């Protein structure tokens, strides 16, 4: 009888403890929800205020900035402008002649630049050259994945070789370069990685099916990488910036089409480069050129697709085939 009484007492005590634990967990959950709601709206207010204020720009003077595709177009303009604000520019390009010209122009203007020939399709070349650069120059603070190609014709006219090369340069090369330089950034908990996507990574466009695929891929991997770094170190100081340029007047876009040329004309490489550098120095996660395109894309996803297609047809902006 005593044994039965003791067991009942223990069961009653255990039940009380369990109930107390349940109440405690519920209270904790409520507190967590309150904190979440507070932080959620505080963050929205802070980010909204930032939209109407000028963000401070990081100083890159004396830092090493590596740019792929530095021999021409936006890559060259970024190299010249980074050097103009005191950065030491490391120029990568597969074309030795044009890359050397970029380095020469930087030095003639009083800047510091170093040129290296690199085929970004070959991972082993990237890793070998990255090791050499660490030995010769030390830490690279900013890496700009800019090199890219843009064949413009219908999907059924793309060859296998052309499509594979596009993914090798526009996407896979980014992975290899990040794998080469990110470990040093993680060790020091500093640095910036800039990836050139495109407005073709925001909107699907005819005659650019594989190209759009590569640029959506850049957008996706940068978002995933940012989350991966944040989860490993919530206090990470490594900045990732994804850029979505509209059509740039570099010759890459051979047959642009627009109904309203004054409103949607090609952007000069000089203006595009300045916008990219500003976004990197401000630590923006995403930036379009022009800036409002990211907001337009997000708004467009809230509107029925058929309605957005009416707008697209009205604007009649895109790229015609380069196979005429």
């Amino acid at each position: 009888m005593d044994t039965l009484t003791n067991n009942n007492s223990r069961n009653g005590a255990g039940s009380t403890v369990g109930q107390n634990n349940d109440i405690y967990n519920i209270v904790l959950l409520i507190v967590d929800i309150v904190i979440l709601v507070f932080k959620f709206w505080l963050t929205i207010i802070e980010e909204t205020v930032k939209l109407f204020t000028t963000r401070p720009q990081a100083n890159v003077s004396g830092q090493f900035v590596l740019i792929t595709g530095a021999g021409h177009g936006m890559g060259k303009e970024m190299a010249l402008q980074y050097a103009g604000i005191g950065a030491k520019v490391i120029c990568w390009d597969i074309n030795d002649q044009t890359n050397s010209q970029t380095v020469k122009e930087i030095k003639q203007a009083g800047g510091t630049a170093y040129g290296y020939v690199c085929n970004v399709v070959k991972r082993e070349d990237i890793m070998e050259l990255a090791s050499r650069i660490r030995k010769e120059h030390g830490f690279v603070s900013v890496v700009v994945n800019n090199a890219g190609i843009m064949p413009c014709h219908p999907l059924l006219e793309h060859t296998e070789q052309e499509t594979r090369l596009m993914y090798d340069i526009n996407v896979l090369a980014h992975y290899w370069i990040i794998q080469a330089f990110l470990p040093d950034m993680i060790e020091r908990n500093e640095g910036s990685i800039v990836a050139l996507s495109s407005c073709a990574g925001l909107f699907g466009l005819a005659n650019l099916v594989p190209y759009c695929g590569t640029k959506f891929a850049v957008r996706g991997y940068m978002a995933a990488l940012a989350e991966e770094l944040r989860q490993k170190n919530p206090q990470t100081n490594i900045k990732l910036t994804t850029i979505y340029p509209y059509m740039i007047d570099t010759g890459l876009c051979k047959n642009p089409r627009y109904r309203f040329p004054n409103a949607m004309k090609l952007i000069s490489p000089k203006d595009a480069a300045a916008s990219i550098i500003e976004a990197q120095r401000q630590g923006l996660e995403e930036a379009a050129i022009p800036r409002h395109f990211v907001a337009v894309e997000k708004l467009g996803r809230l509107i029925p697709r058929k309605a957005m297609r009416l707008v697209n047809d009205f604007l009649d902006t895109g790229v015609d085939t380069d196979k005429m």
Side-chain angles (χ1 to χ4, degrees):
M1 190 70 175
D2 291 340
T3 303
L4 181 60
T5 301
N6 290 337
N7 287 338
N8 289 335
S9 299
R10 283 195 294 269
N11 290 338
S15 177
T16 302
V17 171
Q19 290 175 353
N20 290 338
N21 285 338
D22 289 341
I23 293 172
Y24 177 74
N25 290 333
I26 291 172
V27 171
L28 280 182
L29 179 59
I30 293 172
V31 171
D32 285 344
I33 292 173
V34 170
I35 292 173
L36 170 62
V37 171
F38 174 77
K39 288 184 176 179
F40 177 83
W41 287 108
L42 178 63
T43 301
I44 286 180
I45 293 170
E46 288 176 344
E47 293 303 312
T48 301
V49 170
K50 287 179 182 179
L51 293 175
F52 302 97
T53 58
T54 302
R55 294 173 182 252
Q57 297 190 37
N59 182 15
V60 295
S61 180
Q63 297 182 356
F64 284 100
V65 176
L66 186 149
I67 302 171
T68 66
H72 63 284
M74 282 195 299
K76 179 174 183 175
E77 284 295 336
M78 281 189 282
L80 293 170
Q81 292 185 33
Y82 266 118
I85 55 177
K88 300 175 182 179
V89 185
I90 299 172
C91 301
W92 279 17
D93 203 288
I94 194 171
N95 188 318
D96 184 32
Q97 183 177 356
T98 58
N99 201 44
S100 296
Q101 180 62 31
T102 299
V103 172
K104 180 180 178 181
E105 290 180 26
I106 290 173
K107 290 181 176 179
Q108 287 176 341
T112 303
Y114 307 88
Y116 299 88
V117 175
C118 182
N119 183 356
V120 295
V121 169
K122 297 182 178 180
R123 186 178 187 274
E124 59 274 15
D125 288 3
I126 290 172
M127 294 302 177
E128 182 179 335
L129 186 53
S131 178
R132 177 183 168 189
I133 285 172
R134 276 192 293 272
K135 292 177 182 177
E136 294 179 359
H137 305 297
F139 179 65
V140 176
S141 298
V142 181
V143 172
V144 182
N145 275 315
N146 165 72
I149 59 173
M150 183 182 169
C152 307
H153 34 271
L155 174 64
L156 298 182
E157 296 179 17
H158 279 274
T159 65
E160 177 185 354
Q161 181 180 7
E162 184 179 55
T163 302
R164 289 186 181 277
L165 182 61
M166 206 184 318
Y167 274 84
D168 280 339
I169 296 174
N170 294 6
V171 182
L172 295 181
H174 290 214
Y175 295 166
W176 314 146
I177 291 169
I178 289 172
Q179 286 179 345
F181 292 99
L182 181 58
D184 290 344
M185 294 183 180
I186 292 175
E187 183 178 347
R188 297 167 62 111
N189 194 27
E190 63 175 300
S192 297
I193 296 174
V194 180
L196 271 289
S197 178
S198 166
C199 280
L202 297 174
F203 315 101
L205 297 169
N207 296 314
L208 291 175
V209 175
Y211 181 78
C212 284
T214 66
K215 295 307 180 178
F216 269 89
V218 171
R219 181 184 187 184
Y221 90 69
M222 286 289 280
L225 180 59
E227 189 62 15
E228 189 169 277
L229 292 175
R230 186 186 70 84
Q231 288 191 11
K232 287 185 177 180
N233 178 11
Q235 306 304 318
T236 182
N237 291 318
I238 300 170
K239 308 296 184 183
L240 303 185
T241 301
T242 308
I243 304 293
Y244 308 102
Y246 176 64
M247 292 183 286
I248 311 299
D249 191 12
T250 61
L252 197 64
C253 183
K254 295 180 177 60
N255 295 308
R257 182 186 73 256
Y258 23 68
R259 182 179 180 183
F260 304 103
N262 291 330
M264 305 189 77
K265 62 184 178 181
L266 296 181
I267 297 171
S268 75
K270 185 175 182 179
D271 290 342
S275 183
I276 293 167
I277 293 172
E278 179 185 65
Q280 179 270 310
R281 295 180 64 197
Q282 289 180 338
L284 301 182
E285 290 188 33
E286 291 185 309
I289 307 170
R291 287 286 190 265
H292 66 272
F293 270 36
V294 171
V296 169
E297 186 270 341
K298 295 184 186 303
L299 177 63
R301 291 188 176 276
L302 301 176
I303 298 172
R305 183 160 295 185
K306 285 186 177 181
M308 279 305 301
R309 284 173 178 157
L310 292 174
V311 176
N312 293 340
D313 292 344
F314 172 78
L315 295 174
D316 191 25
T317 300
V319 178
D320 290 330
T321 180
D322 53 16
K323 289 189 175 182
M324 304 298 287

